Tab-separated table of all heavy atoms in Angstrom:
chain	number	residue	atom	x	y	z
A	1	ILE	N	8.167	-8.709	-17.065
A	1	ILE	CA	7.355	-7.713	-16.439
A	1	ILE	C	8.341	-6.787	-15.555
A	1	ILE	O	9.063	-7.313	-14.751
A	1	ILE	CB	6.230	-8.301	-15.534
A	1	ILE	CG1	5.258	-9.027	-16.452
A	1	ILE	CG2	5.498	-7.061	-14.769
A	1	ILE	CD1	4.316	-9.904	-15.706
A	2	ARG	N	8.335	-5.585	-15.686
A	2	ARG	CA	9.116	-4.680	-14.869
A	2	ARG	C	8.062	-4.402	-13.691
A	2	ARG	O	6.988	-4.114	-13.777
A	2	ARG	CB	9.303	-3.308	-15.638
A	2	ARG	CG	9.980	-2.317	-14.512
A	2	ARG	CD	10.653	-1.231	-15.196
A	2	ARG	NE	11.908	-1.660	-15.873
A	2	ARG	CZ	13.055	-1.863	-15.271
A	2	ARG	NH1	13.193	-1.779	-13.969
A	2	ARG	NH2	14.091	-2.249	-16.013
A	3	TRP	N	8.696	-4.439	-12.512
A	3	TRP	CA	7.984	-4.241	-11.213
A	3	TRP	C	8.521	-2.869	-10.630
A	3	TRP	O	9.719	-2.582	-10.612
A	3	TRP	CB	8.285	-5.358	-10.204
A	3	TRP	CG	7.413	-6.537	-10.512
A	3	TRP	CD1	7.763	-7.601	-11.405
A	3	TRP	CD2	6.036	-6.699	-10.067
A	3	TRP	NE1	6.623	-8.466	-11.437
A	3	TRP	CE2	5.675	-8.004	-10.803
A	3	TRP	CE3	5.133	-6.124	-9.300
A	3	TRP	CZ2	4.407	-8.469	-10.422
A	3	TRP	CZ3	3.892	-6.649	-9.209
A	3	TRP	CH2	3.557	-7.807	-9.685
A	4	VAL	N	7.592	-2.162	-9.985
A	4	VAL	CA	7.944	-0.940	-9.137
A	4	VAL	C	7.356	-1.337	-7.813
A	4	VAL	O	6.176	-1.382	-7.743
A	4	VAL	CB	7.171	0.331	-9.850
A	4	VAL	CG1	7.446	1.479	-8.924
A	4	VAL	CG2	7.525	0.581	-11.244
A	5	ILE	N	8.269	-1.378	-6.905
A	5	ILE	CA	7.874	-1.754	-5.457
A	5	ILE	C	8.318	-0.568	-4.508
A	5	ILE	O	9.498	-0.098	-4.635
A	5	ILE	CB	8.441	-3.001	-5.129
A	5	ILE	CG1	8.122	-4.102	-6.080
A	5	ILE	CG2	8.166	-3.229	-3.603
A	5	ILE	CD1	8.831	-5.524	-5.956
A	6	ASP	N	7.195	-0.109	-3.830
A	6	ASP	CA	7.549	0.887	-2.805
A	6	ASP	C	7.275	0.351	-1.477
A	6	ASP	O	6.319	-0.262	-1.155
A	6	ASP	CB	6.446	2.118	-3.110
A	6	ASP	CG	6.903	3.406	-2.372
A	6	ASP	OD1	8.180	3.678	-2.589
A	6	ASP	OD2	6.068	3.987	-1.666
A	7	TYR	N	8.378	0.497	-0.502
A	7	TYR	CA	8.356	0.005	0.744
A	7	TYR	C	7.599	0.970	1.693
A	7	TYR	O	7.855	2.115	1.667
A	7	TYR	CB	9.728	-0.214	1.299
A	7	TYR	CG	10.569	-1.093	0.572
A	7	TYR	CD1	11.756	-0.660	0.149
A	7	TYR	CD2	10.205	-2.379	0.217
A	7	TYR	CE1	12.713	-1.559	-0.596
A	7	TYR	CE2	11.011	-3.282	-0.531
A	7	TYR	CZ	12.354	-2.770	-0.937
A	7	TYR	OH	13.119	-3.646	-1.659
A	8	LYS	N	6.789	0.375	2.455
A	8	LYS	CA	6.045	1.234	3.606
A	8	LYS	C	6.166	0.477	4.897
A	8	LYS	O	6.083	-0.691	5.005
A	8	LYS	CB	4.433	1.359	3.220
A	8	LYS	CG	4.316	2.048	1.775
A	8	LYS	CD	4.787	3.438	1.850
A	8	LYS	CE	4.670	4.140	0.590
A	8	LYS	NZ	5.224	5.386	0.344
A	9	VAL	N	6.437	1.272	5.984
A	9	VAL	CA	6.518	0.705	7.212
A	9	VAL	C	5.299	0.875	8.159
A	9	VAL	O	5.275	0.567	9.252
A	9	VAL	CB	7.746	1.382	8.101
A	9	VAL	CG1	9.032	1.072	7.378
A	9	VAL	CG2	7.620	2.928	8.101
A	10	SER	N	4.171	1.301	7.558
A	10	SER	CA	2.891	1.286	8.333
A	10	SER	C	2.373	-0.095	8.487
A	10	SER	O	2.705	-1.016	7.842
A	10	SER	CB	1.952	2.298	7.661
A	10	SER	OG	1.803	1.858	6.284
A	11	THR	N	1.499	-0.131	9.592
A	11	THR	CA	0.701	-1.386	9.735
A	11	THR	C	-0.690	-1.161	10.047
A	11	THR	O	-1.111	-0.040	10.234
A	11	THR	CB	1.314	-2.034	11.245
A	11	THR	OG1	1.171	-1.039	12.246
A	11	THR	CG2	2.860	-2.316	10.986
A	12	PRO	N	-1.442	-2.098	9.963
A	12	PRO	CA	-2.986	-1.952	10.159
A	12	PRO	C	-3.273	-1.257	11.484
A	12	PRO	O	-2.634	-1.504	12.451
A	12	PRO	CB	-3.533	-3.381	10.128
A	12	PRO	CG	-2.498	-4.124	9.421
A	12	PRO	CD	-1.118	-3.627	9.743
A	13	GLN	N	-4.274	-0.499	11.464
A	13	GLN	CA	-4.875	0.002	12.661
A	13	GLN	C	-5.524	-1.028	13.600
A	13	GLN	O	-5.827	-2.175	13.036
A	13	GLN	CB	-5.939	1.072	12.461
A	13	GLN	CG	-5.424	2.267	11.631
A	13	GLN	CD	-6.493	3.316	11.145
A	13	GLN	OE1	-7.614	3.065	11.404
A	13	GLN	NE2	-6.012	4.349	10.657
A	14	PRO	N	-5.603	-0.880	14.853
A	14	PRO	CA	-6.176	-1.890	15.740
A	14	PRO	C	-7.535	-2.283	15.196
A	14	PRO	O	-8.417	-1.384	14.964
A	14	PRO	CB	-6.320	-1.277	17.090
A	14	PRO	CG	-5.147	-0.190	17.123
A	14	PRO	CD	-5.068	0.333	15.666
A	15	GLY	N	-7.861	-3.645	14.999
A	15	GLY	CA	-9.057	-4.046	14.554
A	15	GLY	C	-9.342	-3.904	13.045
A	15	GLY	O	-10.292	-4.338	12.583
A	16	GLU	N	-8.368	-3.435	12.258
A	16	GLU	CA	-8.465	-3.341	10.856
A	16	GLU	C	-7.971	-4.627	10.122
A	16	GLU	O	-6.890	-5.006	10.412
A	16	GLU	CB	-7.640	-2.010	10.350
A	16	GLU	CG	-7.741	-1.883	8.790
A	16	GLU	CD	-6.888	-0.650	8.372
A	16	GLU	OE1	-5.909	-0.314	9.046
A	16	GLU	OE2	-7.323	0.069	7.488
A	17	SER	N	-8.817	-5.128	9.200
A	17	SER	CA	-8.297	-6.200	8.460
A	17	SER	C	-7.316	-5.971	7.554
A	17	SER	O	-7.062	-4.823	7.065
A	17	SER	CB	-9.437	-6.877	7.808
A	17	SER	OG	-9.930	-6.086	6.656
A	18	GLU	N	-6.447	-6.943	7.319
A	18	GLU	CA	-5.302	-6.762	6.325
A	18	GLU	C	-5.931	-6.265	4.952
A	18	GLU	O	-5.346	-5.401	4.362
A	18	GLU	CB	-4.677	-8.123	5.993
A	18	GLU	CG	-3.336	-7.930	5.444
A	18	GLU	CD	-2.495	-9.142	5.497
A	18	GLU	OE1	-2.758	-10.124	4.535
A	18	GLU	OE2	-1.599	-9.318	6.256
A	19	ALA	N	-7.071	-6.920	4.588
A	19	ALA	CA	-7.691	-6.470	3.203
A	19	ALA	C	-8.017	-5.012	3.252
A	19	ALA	O	-7.763	-4.187	2.268
A	19	ALA	CB	-8.836	-7.293	2.889
A	20	ALA	N	-8.649	-4.467	4.305
A	20	ALA	CA	-9.012	-3.161	4.378
A	20	ALA	C	-7.935	-2.236	4.569
A	20	ALA	O	-7.797	-1.187	3.936
A	20	ALA	CB	-9.804	-2.864	5.766
A	21	PHE	N	-6.747	-2.685	5.280
A	21	PHE	CA	-5.510	-1.957	5.298
A	21	PHE	C	-4.919	-1.724	3.932
A	21	PHE	O	-4.606	-0.655	3.522
A	21	PHE	CB	-4.533	-2.651	6.268
A	21	PHE	CG	-3.147	-2.085	6.316
A	21	PHE	CD1	-2.875	-0.883	6.787
A	21	PHE	CD2	-2.110	-2.866	5.722
A	21	PHE	CE1	-1.458	-0.353	6.834
A	21	PHE	CE2	-0.923	-2.402	5.746
A	21	PHE	CZ	-0.502	-1.170	6.382
A	22	PHE	N	-4.668	-2.863	3.182
A	22	PHE	CA	-4.182	-2.853	1.886
A	22	PHE	C	-4.934	-1.817	0.921
A	22	PHE	O	-4.453	-1.004	0.199
A	22	PHE	CB	-4.152	-4.222	1.150
A	22	PHE	CG	-3.108	-5.209	1.829
A	22	PHE	CD1	-3.075	-6.465	1.719
A	22	PHE	CD2	-1.972	-4.638	2.515
A	22	PHE	CE1	-2.196	-7.310	2.338
A	22	PHE	CE2	-1.081	-5.373	3.212
A	22	PHE	CZ	-1.108	-6.719	3.030
A	23	SER	N	-6.271	-2.007	0.981
A	23	SER	CA	-7.175	-1.127	0.196
A	23	SER	C	-6.879	0.389	0.461
A	23	SER	O	-6.850	1.170	-0.412
A	23	SER	CB	-8.602	-1.563	0.361
A	23	SER	OG	-9.527	-0.726	-0.382
A	24	ARG	N	-6.911	0.632	1.744
A	24	ARG	CA	-6.774	2.031	2.132
A	24	ARG	C	-5.351	2.635	1.637
A	24	ARG	O	-5.122	3.657	1.193
A	24	ARG	CB	-6.744	2.063	3.718
A	24	ARG	CG	-6.570	3.481	4.249
A	24	ARG	CD	-6.968	3.504	5.799
A	24	ARG	NE	-6.306	2.585	6.624
A	24	ARG	CZ	-5.138	2.837	7.132
A	24	ARG	NH1	-4.577	4.058	7.065
A	24	ARG	NH2	-4.576	1.935	7.960
A	25	LYS	N	-4.298	1.783	1.883
A	25	LYS	CA	-2.980	2.151	1.484
A	25	LYS	C	-2.697	2.259	-0.055
A	25	LYS	O	-2.109	3.201	-0.517
A	25	LYS	CB	-1.980	1.292	2.088
A	25	LYS	CG	-1.683	1.290	3.570
A	25	LYS	CD	-1.392	2.802	4.051
A	25	LYS	CE	-1.344	3.009	5.387
A	25	LYS	NZ	-0.852	4.409	5.785
A	26	LEU	N	-3.434	1.315	-0.816
A	26	LEU	CA	-3.226	1.467	-2.145
A	26	LEU	C	-3.965	2.788	-2.718
A	26	LEU	O	-3.431	3.474	-3.615
A	26	LEU	CB	-3.963	0.384	-2.847
A	26	LEU	CG	-3.136	-0.929	-2.973
A	26	LEU	CD1	-3.973	-2.185	-3.454
A	26	LEU	CD2	-1.945	-0.740	-3.889
A	27	GLU	N	-5.084	3.106	-2.122
A	27	GLU	CA	-5.717	4.405	-2.481
A	27	GLU	C	-4.908	5.553	-2.093
A	27	GLU	O	-4.822	6.646	-2.726
A	27	GLU	CB	-7.117	4.424	-1.942
A	27	GLU	CG	-8.068	3.584	-2.662
A	27	GLU	CD	-8.119	3.782	-4.190
A	27	GLU	OE1	-8.198	4.999	-4.637
A	27	GLU	OE2	-7.940	2.790	-4.880
A	28	GLN	N	-4.224	5.546	-0.877
A	28	GLN	CA	-3.402	6.637	-0.381
A	28	GLN	C	-2.127	6.814	-1.293
A	28	GLN	O	-1.775	7.970	-1.657
A	28	GLN	CB	-2.954	6.318	1.030
A	28	GLN	CG	-2.007	7.373	1.545
A	28	GLN	CD	-1.534	6.884	2.975
A	28	GLN	OE1	-2.027	6.029	3.629
A	28	GLN	NE2	-0.639	7.836	3.629
A	29	TYR	N	-1.633	5.758	-1.808
A	29	TYR	CA	-0.315	5.822	-2.617
A	29	TYR	C	-0.526	5.610	-4.149
A	29	TYR	O	0.455	5.574	-4.865
A	29	TYR	CB	0.596	4.858	-1.993
A	29	TYR	CG	1.114	5.285	-0.649
A	29	TYR	CD1	0.804	4.545	0.427
A	29	TYR	CD2	1.916	6.468	-0.405
A	29	TYR	CE1	1.186	4.911	1.714
A	29	TYR	CE2	2.282	6.777	0.798
A	29	TYR	CZ	2.007	5.983	1.800
A	29	TYR	OH	2.250	6.432	3.159
A	30	ARG	N	-1.815	5.602	-4.638
A	30	ARG	CA	-1.984	5.227	-5.946
A	30	ARG	C	-1.420	6.345	-6.893
A	30	ARG	O	-0.773	5.760	-7.876
A	30	ARG	CB	-3.500	5.276	-6.303
A	30	ARG	CG	-4.017	5.147	-7.819
A	30	ARG	CD	-5.484	5.019	-7.892
A	30	ARG	NE	-6.017	4.028	-7.231
A	30	ARG	CZ	-5.996	2.673	-7.727
A	30	ARG	NH1	-5.465	2.422	-8.963
A	30	ARG	NH2	-6.567	1.716	-7.104
A	31	GLY	N	-1.358	7.478	-6.553
A	31	GLY	CA	-0.795	8.622	-7.397
A	31	GLY	C	0.676	8.435	-7.519
A	31	GLY	O	1.290	8.543	-8.637
A	32	GLN	N	1.293	8.067	-6.394
A	32	GLN	CA	2.672	7.992	-6.351
A	32	GLN	C	3.139	6.730	-7.179
A	32	GLN	O	3.995	6.820	-8.065
A	32	GLN	CB	3.197	7.698	-4.836
A	32	GLN	CG	4.655	7.406	-4.787
A	32	GLN	CD	5.058	7.117	-3.294
A	32	GLN	OE1	4.242	7.149	-2.377
A	32	GLN	NE2	6.299	6.991	-3.151
A	33	LEU	N	2.401	5.743	-7.105
A	33	LEU	CA	2.785	4.481	-7.789
A	33	LEU	C	2.595	4.685	-9.370
A	33	LEU	O	3.374	4.281	-10.270
A	33	LEU	CB	2.055	3.251	-7.481
A	33	LEU	CG	2.227	2.701	-5.899
A	33	LEU	CD1	1.369	1.606	-5.602
A	33	LEU	CD2	3.680	2.184	-5.870
A	34	GLU	N	1.437	5.316	-9.645
A	34	GLU	CA	1.132	5.580	-10.967
A	34	GLU	C	2.289	6.547	-11.732
A	34	GLU	O	2.511	6.444	-12.784
A	34	GLU	CB	-0.261	6.183	-11.252
A	34	GLU	CG	-1.298	5.132	-10.997
A	34	GLU	CD	-2.730	5.620	-10.985
A	34	GLU	OE1	-2.835	6.804	-10.873
A	34	GLU	OE2	-3.666	4.738	-11.138
């Protein structure tokens, strides 16, 4: 499997769960990754 990995230095907002953070960032960067 070929992997495409994009590094991001952002962190969750105060009180934001890791799952919510990941979901938000995946939607933000979906176009770039695709």
Side-chain angles (χ1 to χ4, degrees):
I1 298 168
R2 172 162 296 280
W3 284 92
V4 175
I5 300 168
D6 198 49
Y7 302 128
K8 299 296 180 193
V9 294
S10 51
T11 58
Q13 297 173 356
E16 182 179 31
S17 72
E18 191 173 83
F21 170 70
F22 289 158
S23 178
R24 180 169 59 86
K25 290 300 176 178
L26 280 171
E27 286 312 307
Q28 180 179 352
Y29 294 107
R30 177 177 297 279
Q32 177 184 2
L33 292 173
E34 289 175 346

